[in-house]
């Protein structure tokens, strides 16, 4: 595939980013992403005023406060999101969000999932912590998780990702007509992709990367035609747009495009830096965010696709699942440092077990809020613009 790139970085945005160091931080934590019984990341180190935003993925989980000594039992008067049922077809957004604001950085907050069907999730190690003691402490996060597993008597069942199917492609030729001219072109033909055609009028599509400070590209999966332009507009935090391959979602493709890191100040509202490519082929394009601090953004599911063949096994959902399996929690490449997790904005489901959230209450150094955010629909088209938040 051939592509052209353009990169701009406003000086004002960079200067503002360097000058802003003491603002509150939002930590996104994925709850049960990719069907795994895990919080990702598994703990965060936060300061007073910081927000921890839990994003609920399909099945039905809770964010329930416990204690170190009784990791799988609710703490008296502790925070509790209640059960958050999410239908399988909602993966990718919109998803329910539930957040807490940290009021005390000195007292650890221990969290678990209260779901017990078909077996206790807590006993499978589905626990989380805010400001746990260091790893060498007898009350570290690792000790808390081990206590949760030993309490149930169950062994942890590690998720086993299925091997991706092989991709099939071959060189092909097609007759292309555009602006009154006709010619024969040679291109890479992937199974399920259309012949290359030029649209009557090129369109520019906008994709927000890190929409609402969450670890997503919005939209994550788009279609584009020959001649389309894809513009990535970077909004606050610090992300990249890096081309990869289906089988290695979190590794840069040799010779692929890469925006490099684009730091943007949290208070930036205009003049965002941008990066763009021009589509010259119908073959699928896979990409990810290369940021690994404080945890792997790609491992949290921050990936995107252009012209993925959704009717085949190498679709976008399979690509994202492979990214999480290879670089997410429990993988050999994943980071276990505190930090951001994956999440898309959305609304809560309405069916399922359990009680509602405890809006507005405070306990254990946190303030609680239920946030319902609406995700953007996938665009269909010709030219693409990505915006990074």
């Amino acid at each position: 595939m051939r592509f052209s790139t353009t990169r701009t970085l406003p000086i004002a945005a960079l200067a503002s980013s360097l000058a802003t160091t003491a603002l509150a931080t939002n930590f996104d934590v994925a709850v049960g992403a990719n069907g795994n019984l895990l919080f990702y990341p598994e703990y965060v180190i936060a300061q007073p005023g910081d927000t921890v935003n839990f994003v609920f993925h399909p099945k039905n989980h809770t964010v329930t406060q416990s204690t170190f000594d009784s990791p799988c039992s609710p703490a008296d008067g502790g925070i509790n999101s209640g059960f958050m049922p999410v239908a399988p077809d909602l993966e990718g957004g919109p998803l329910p969000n539930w957040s807490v604001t940290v009021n005390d950085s000195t007292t650890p907050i221990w969290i678990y999932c209260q779901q017990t069907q078909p077996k206790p999730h807590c006993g499978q190690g589905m626990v989380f912590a805010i400001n746990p003691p260091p790893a060498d402490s007898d009350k570290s996060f690792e000790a808390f998780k081990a206590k949760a597993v030993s309490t149930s008597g169950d062994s942890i069942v590690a998720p086993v990702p299925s091997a991706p199917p092989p991709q099939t492609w071959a060189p092909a030729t097609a007759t292309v007509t555009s602006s009154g001219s006709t010619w024969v072109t040679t291109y890479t033909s992937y199974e399920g992709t259309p012949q290359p055609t030029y649209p009557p009028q090129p369109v520019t599509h906008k994709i927000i990367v890190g929409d609402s400070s969450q670890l997503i590209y919005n939209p994550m999966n788009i279609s584009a035609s020959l001649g389309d332009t894809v513009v990535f507009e970077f909004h606050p935090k610090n992300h990249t747009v890096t081309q990869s391959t289906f089988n290695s979602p979190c590794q840069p493709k040799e010779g692929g495009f890469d925006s490099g890191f684009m730091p943007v100040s949290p208070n930036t509202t205009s003049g965002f830096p941008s990066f763009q490519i021009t589509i010259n082929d119908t073959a699928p394009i896979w990409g990810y965010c290369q940021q690994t601090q404080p945890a792997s953004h790609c491992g949290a599911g921050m990936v995107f696709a252009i012209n993925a063949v959704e009717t085949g096994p190498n679709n976008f959902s399979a690509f994202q699942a492979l990214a999480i399996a290879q670089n997410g929690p429990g993988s050999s490449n994943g980071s276990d440092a505190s930090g951001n997790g994956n999440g898309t904005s959305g609304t809560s489901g309405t069916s399922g077990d359990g009680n509602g959230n405890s809006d507005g209450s405070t306990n254990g150094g946190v303030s609680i809020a239920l946030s319902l955010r609406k995700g953007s629909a996938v665009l269909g088209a010709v030219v693409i613009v990505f915006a990074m938040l």
Side-chain angles (χ1 to χ4, degrees):
M1 184 194 77
R2 304 184 309 279
F3 55 84
S4 59
T5 63
T6 303
R7 177 179 179 178
T8 61
L9 182 60
I11 294 176
L14 179 59
S16 178
S17 174
L18 295 175
T20 305
T21 57
L23 297 178
T25 300
N26 177 73
F27 297 95
D28 289 314
V29 179
V31 183
N34 197 31
N36 294 330
L37 301 186
L38 291 169
F39 291 89
Y40 182 71
E42 292 189 297
Y43 64 88
V44 298
I45 304 300
Q47 299 301 318
D50 289 351
T51 300
V52 182
N53 182 48
F54 297 92
V55 183
F56 291 81
H57 289 253
K59 297 184 182 178
N60 191 358
H61 302 290
T62 78
V63 171
T64 305
Q65 187 173 2
S66 63
T67 64
F68 181 87
D69 293 323
S70 299
C72 298
S73 298
D76 186 21
I79 62 175
N80 194 341
S81 67
F83 285 91
M84 292 283 198
V86 182
D89 59 358
L90 289 182
E91 185 61 85
L95 295 171
N97 291 236
W98 189 81
S99 63
V100 299
T101 300
V102 177
N103 300 320
D104 178 10
S105 62
T106 62
T107 304
I109 299 171
W110 307 105
I111 300 289
Y112 76 106
C113 176
Q114 208 169 3
Q115 180 63 263
T116 59
Q117 300 299 322
K119 60 172 55 179
H121 289 191
C122 183
Q124 289 292 304
M126 192 170 182
V127 294
F128 175 80
I130 301 174
N131 295 327
D136 57 359
S137 168
D138 58 356
K139 290 193 174 182
S140 65
F141 174 77
E142 291 75 13
F144 175 66
K145 184 173 182 178
K147 185 182 286 287
V149 175
S150 65
T151 298
S152 72
D154 288 334
S155 58
I156 295 179
V157 179
V160 180
S162 58
Q167 292 175 286
T168 58
W169 64 89
T173 60
T175 301
V176 178
T177 300
S178 179
S179 301
S181 299
T182 301
W183 67 95
V184 176
T185 183
T186 301
Y187 66 102
T188 301
S189 175
Y190 281 74
E191 184 177 358
T193 59
Q195 286 195 351
T197 57
Y198 281 83
Q201 181 64 45
V203 177
T204 298
H205 301 269
K206 184 176 182 179
I207 297 182
I208 301 175
V209 183
D211 191 10
S212 301
S213 296
Q214 298 189 61
L215 302 188
I216 61 169
Y217 296 87
N218 190 7
M220 297 180 286
N221 182 21
I222 63 172
S223 299
S225 299
L226 293 178
D228 293 359
T229 299
V230 182
V231 180
F232 300 76
E233 186 180 291
F234 295 73
H235 288 234
K237 302 179 181 180
N238 190 359
H239 301 291
T240 79
V241 172
T242 305
Q243 188 175 9
S244 63
T245 62
F246 181 89
N247 289 70
S248 299
C250 302
Q251 298 296 322
K253 178 180 179 180
E254 184 176 356
F257 57 79
D258 186 6
S259 67
F261 286 93
M262 292 283 197
V264 181
S265 170
N267 60 357
T268 301
T269 58
S270 62
F272 299 111
S274 64
F275 173 82
Q276 71 179 44
I277 65 173
T278 300
I279 303 300
N280 294 312
D281 204 326
T282 60
I285 298 173
W286 310 101
Y288 73 107
C289 177
Q290 213 167 3
Q291 180 64 264
T292 60
Q293 298 300 322
S296 168
H297 288 194
C298 185
M302 191 173 180
V303 294
F304 68 90
I306 303 171
N307 292 332
V309 181
E310 291 302 299
T311 56
N314 292 78
N315 53 51
F316 174 76
S317 294
F319 175 66
Q320 186 180 49
L322 192 60
I324 295 172
Q326 290 184 357
N327 276 67
S331 71
S332 58
N333 296 323
S335 170
D336 60 2
S338 64
N340 298 322
N342 180 44
T344 51
S345 55
T347 56
S348 174
T350 57
S351 62
D353 298 328
N355 299 317
N357 62 297
S358 306
D359 288 350
S361 62
T362 60
N363 184 279
V366 298
S367 300
I368 311 167
L370 177 64
S371 175
L372 302 180
R373 305 173 183 171
K374 184 177 181 181
S376 299
V378 175
L379 299 177
V382 183
V383 181
I384 311 161
V385 178
F386 286 72
M388 287 203 170
L389 297 176

